[in-house]
Amino acid sequence: MKSLSRTLCAALFFILIPLIAGAQPPVRFLESKKVFVLAGGGVSYVFGINEQGMLQHIHWGKQVWRDDDFNAPHSSPDWDVFDLTTTTTPQEYPGWGAGLYVEPSLKATFADGNRDLVLHYASHKIDGNALTVTLKDIERALFVHLHYTIWPETGILRRYATIENRTNAPVVLESAQSGAWYLPQGEGYRLRYLAGRWGGEFQLNEEPVHTGLKVLESRRGSTGHSMNPWFALDRDGNADDEHGSVWFGELGWSGSWRISVEQTPHQQVRVTGGYNSFDFGYSLSPGETLVTPPFYAGYSDEGIGGASRILHRFQRSEILPNGSGAKTRPVLYNSWEATFFDVNEPGQIALAEKAASLGVERFVIDDGWFGRRDDDHDGLGDWNVNPKKFPNGLGPLIRRVKELGMDFGVWVEPEMVNPKSDLYQKHPDWAMHFEGRPRTESRNQLILNLARDDVREYVFHWLDDLVTKNDIAFLKWDYNRNVTEPGWPEVPPARQKNLWVLFTKNVYDIMDRLRQKHPGLEIESCSGGGGRVDMGILPRVQQIWTSDNTEALDRLTIQQGFTYAYTPHVMMDWVTDVPGFNGRSVPLRFRFLTAMQGSLGIGTNLNRWSAEDFVLGKQMLAYYKSIRETVQNGLLYRLASPMKGSFTANQYVSPDKMQSVLFAFLHSQQFRRTLPPLLLHGLDEKAVYSVTQVDGKLDTKAPATPMKFSGAYLMNHGIELDLVGDYDGVSLKLERISEQ
Ligand code: DGJ
């Protein structure tokens, strides 16, 4: 019944309303030309069926309102005897066969050893804003269903493929991608991507695209810290933060992934993404299907700033659990850096009481509460409450936390096992391994083979039990190592490599079932910090642990990189103790202001705080609560980059332009240089805004408090900030008070 009414609503939205309003539906098939047009959010994506039956790309970029402008596609000619039409034609989903030398979307070996795959159009179906085009090999019953969706508000496109084996023998897929994106033909593109390592995630890299192939990837079995599955390309390398054309995309996969950015000798830039083809070999039995990861992409003509604002909006409204209006993130306290493994009932209660006095809304106990977990050598796998640390279970702590007006969360690392644990002693075969080979430990732990149904069920049941028996609102779901020895000796050799895909699909399955059974439960994705952030995990979690590096200065760079690809709504940051990651001691105020630029948490040892620290902390939390809607759900403008100098500034504007929040940080002053006026963005030119400062007094040079300025003044003349010395920071709250 529910799904029927949903279908009717969708039909009303995508078919009837456009018809009544005289507008065109978001997906159209121009029958006479055999051309598909997907349009919305100021973007058109156009491709067609050429005379050979190939699916040929035509246009992706700013919207072309006149469908008649697009002609039936004709395959590109052989360039010479070395570059045949298969290679020169921009195919939406090329199989490897018949002279394809660019990156294939699908490569297969049939049971008889045949490895030629030529995919041609078979049929299609349009359903509102979704289109499915089915391709088939020219001779064999291997089908590929290409799924396209366009979101009319943002112009974001999603593509993925379902590969279906209708032959009567197994087929091994050696590369299974979600599709190829084509940029307007030409040279001079610049690629941006996010790379890093543990403690230094999300660093923005920029480089020119030259002829050849650049691979962004993880071979680690998870998304990884070293690269994130996001890219952005701009034309002529001249698009600054707020201007120019940018094409961008990100993959929804938390296992090994790959995005290749390729410029052909014929000046065609193409981006292919999906499962990492390294060590890939997915065996499809007759009748089986494999679904590739969703690959999302979009276009902005407002520079990289516009591109990230489109992504943020899309993630909040379409990707995050609860969809539109994803719940406001609470301020949390996490005890990890205060107590590490040394957790116990009185100690955690003492911290909870102090956290509550600051205005914290959620108390989270981190690692160390279970099994024989006194350090990282034991405990993983034995998810019973440690009786020495919590003789009465977690109940008394949870009750106290709730009395204090907070809800309760707990740390788990479900995919892991310590060899010393009881679980491993009982089921050594449950860990990934190759028979007779050493099992490489990392942080003294191994990875459970969740590709196995019995292991998946075991993990689901203990998690379900934990959440059912305790009043738990939140899980911090951690994952602290990468895959080694991805063996699965219990299944026939031909199917062992299916582990790469099934492991991650089963992690998703556990999360999905758990959330379905416990609808109020919230999850944070953590993998030693930001090692598992992607569009595959985002629909399943409410927030992300951005990095284990909580040092404020480093965080400015990490957070800047993060927001190119992901909304600040999910970006969790804690205020922690000093000295931090680099041995630097940044003032508490600067630490708070840094952490407030996404979802705020506190991770300090509150037992060591002075009375003044508590006064400042309360003030900061109250201020954060007055601006968090704008920070978490507003439009972000990056005004000054921490990577380009000693000054960082970010501005957030609420969608209705009623509130804006500015954060500005001077890392280190030299030569007593003063800052030039800072030009704000996104305000209403005609409105007047009152400007107040985070802790009540104004640091700006103008005398009156609160000050009042027009949007036009703030955006065209700018606001002066009086920041001095090292680690000086300020936040200004702008509130619209009148039209003139
Ligand atoms: C790694 C996480 O990133 C930390 O925040 C903490 O939860 C530890 N694991 C606990 O082992």
Side-chain angles (χ1 to χ4, degrees), residues 336 366-367 411 443 476 478 480 526 528-529 545 548 574:
W336 172 243
D366 210 281
D367 200 347
W411 179 94
R443 208 193 189 205
K476 175 177 174 181
D478 209 343
N480 278 306
C526 170
W545 180 227
D548 277 350
W574 307 337

Side-chain angles (χ1 to χ4, degrees), residues 48-100:
I49 308 157
N50 71 20
E51 77 292 353
Q52 295 190 51
M54 296 168 174
L55 223 52
Q56 180 170 341
H57 181 78
I58 298 174
H59 171 84
W60 177 31
K62 200 162 177 161
Q63 187 156 2
V64 176
W65 59 269
R66 189 170 178 269
D67 286 353
D68 277 351
D69 293 343
F70 296 109
N71 284 319
H74 287 287
S75 54
S76 311
D78 293 348
W79 177 256
D80 50 43
V81 294
F82 296 102
D83 281 321
L84 305 180
T85 177
T86 331
T87 278
T88 54
T89 302
Q91 294 189 65
E92 287 279 299
Y93 199 87
W96 184 77
L100 186 87

